[in-house]
Amino acid sequence: MLRSARLTRVAAALLGAALLALVFMAYLLPEFVVDLGNRLWSCF
C-alpha cells in the first residue's frame, strides 16, 4: 500500500511539472500571449 501511494504522488508531481512546462512554453509564443490578452480584455 505504501508503494502505491508513493507511485501516485510521483505520478501527480510529474503531471504537474509537465503541465507547468506546457504553460511556460506557451508564453514563449508572442501570438498566443496577444490572443490570450485580447480574449481576457473582451470579457470587460
Side-chain angles (χ1 to χ4, degrees), residues 1-17:
M1 183 147 191
L2 180 62
R3 185 176 184 152
S4 176
R6 185 176 182 192
L7 182 62
T8 302
R9 182 174 284 183
V10 169
L14 287 175
L15 183 65

Side-chain angles (χ1 to χ4, degrees), residues 6-38:
R6 185 176 182 192
L7 182 62
T8 302
R9 182 174 284 183
V10 169
L14 287 175
L15 183 65
L19 183 64
L20 281 175
L22 285 173
V23 168
F24 289 143
M25 284 177 25
Y27 275 101
L28 292 176
L29 301 171
E31 302 88 17
F32 176 75
V33 176
V34 170
D35 184 50
L36 188 62
N38 286 337

